[in-house]
Amino acid sequence: ALWNKVFYPLAIFVMMMLSFFFSGTETALLSSNRIRLDGSARQGNRGARRVIGILDRVEDALSMTLIGNNIVNVSASALITFVATRAYQANETLLLEITAVETVIFLIVCEVAPKVIARAYPNEFLALMSHPINVLMLVMKPATRLSLAFSGVLKRGLSLTGSAHGIVRSRDEIDILFKMGEEEGIIGEEHQQYVSEILSFRDIAAS
């Protein structure tokens, strides 16, 4: 009885944290700012370098998060159902109530919360989780390779093409690009100054 009271709740908690990790990682991968990461990496930020390495294999990383999240969510649901019916002898009504509570908790804690956090701080989230991401990408490589192979066949069958990547999405990113060009000696300091002043016009209110 003591084993049931300790092991089952601990196992469910671990699965919830894994689901949090996978959901947040997926959102962070899609929201990360490669240009800012490049700038941080040039300044010696090791976390940014690790994240760039992950983004260089972004399809593998995304496949890992999708596969992992599905495995964890299905396993958690099955374990909770097992515990409710076998360990606590729950009837159909109680099992329905447990399932409803489980759904709400998982939705808030394991889906909404990590996605909100990862969307607001994608680069920081990836830097913090970079080590477990790399480990899981290695462990789940056979599954991700199979998933990507199936995805490639599906794309070819439906004549789908990938969307363009690396689009500059803001004036701040343009400014960062020019500063990086200045550091590399491609753009002169004077020209970079002109660009920064032009981009700052949006902050000036007309009188």
Side-chain angles (χ1 to χ4, degrees), residues 9-57:
L10 180 61
I12 293 171
F13 175 78
V14 170
M15 289 182 183
M16 289 179 66
M17 292 300 98
L18 285 172
S19 183
F20 181 101
F21 163 79
F22 286 123
S23 295
T25 300
E26 178 188 0
T27 300
L29 287 168
L30 297 173
S31 306
S32 61
N33 189 317
R34 179 64 181 258
I35 295 174
R36 292 188 180 278
L37 286 167
D38 284 336
S40 297
R42 289 172 182 271
Q43 296 173 2
N45 188 308
R46 294 182 179 179
R49 291 176 181 173
R50 290 195 300 270
V51 174
I52 289 173
I54 293 170
L55 294 179
D56 287 339
R57 300 166 291 157

Side-chain angles (χ1 to χ4, degrees), residues 59-64 66-67 71 137-156:
E59 288 191 354
D60 289 349
L62 284 171
S63 294
M64 178 272 293
L66 293 173
I67 294 170
I71 292 173
M137 285 177 65
L138 181 62
V139 172
M140 298 177 64
K141 189 173 183 178
T144 58
R145 292 286 93 189
L146 183 62
S147 173
L148 290 174
F150 175 77
S151 176
V153 171
L154 188 62
K155 285 181 179 180
R156 287 192 295 272

Side-chain angles (χ1 to χ4, degrees), residues 9 38 45 50 58 91 99 137 141 162 173 175 187 199:
D38 284 336
N45 188 308
R50 290 195 300 270
V58 68
N91 55 34
T99 302
M137 285 177 65
K141 189 173 183 178
E173 292 180 6
D175 194 21
I187 301 173
L199 294 174

Side-chain angles (χ1 to χ4, degrees), residues 111-129:
E111 290 293 332
V112 176
K115 290 182 183 298
V116 169
I117 295 170
R119 177 66 180 173
Y121 306 101
N123 294 351
E124 293 81 359
F125 188 98
L126 289 175
L128 181 64
M129 301 295 181

Side-chain angles (χ1 to χ4, degrees), residues 154-172:
L154 188 62
K155 285 181 179 180
R156 287 192 295 272
L158 298 176
S159 300
L160 299 176
T161 56
S163 58
H165 296 284
I167 299 175
V168 178
R169 294 171 291 184
S170 72
R171 298 180 183 184
D172 290 337

